């Protein structure tokens, strides 16, 4: 609902402003050592979903 409305109503200048704003934000996880933690979280989510399907 939101994306189609944005495509319909936002101008080219609006999109440029949005691109600049998002481009200025940095990745909060950049440079951190959380990859192992994310792998464990992913595995937990997958196993939980798999259990709920069966």
């Amino acid at each position: 609902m939101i994306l189609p409305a944005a495509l319909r109503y936002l101008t080219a200048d609006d999109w440029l402003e949005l691109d600049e704003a998002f481009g200025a934000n940095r990745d909060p996880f950049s440079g951190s050592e959380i990859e192992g933690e994310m792998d464990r979280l992913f595995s937990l989510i997958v196993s939980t979903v798999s259990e709920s399907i069966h």
Side-chain angles (χ1 to χ4, degrees):
M1 178 179 212
I2 292 182
L3 289 179
L7 291 171
R8 186 174 184 182
Y9 295 108
L10 295 179
T11 67
D13 288 338
D14 293 332
W15 287 109
L16 287 174
E17 186 177 342
L18 286 167
D19 285 343
E20 288 176 15
F22 278 97
N25 290 314
R26 65 174 195 82
D27 181 356
F29 299 115
S30 178
S32 66
E33 299 293 328
I34 62 166
E35 189 170 325
E37 294 296 322
M38 291 296 134
D39 289 341
R40 282 190 284 278
L41 177 59
F42 178 77
S43 295
L44 175 63
I45 291 169
V46 169
S47 68
T48 302
V49 170
S50 295
E51 290 172 7
S52 67
I53 292 174
H54 293 115

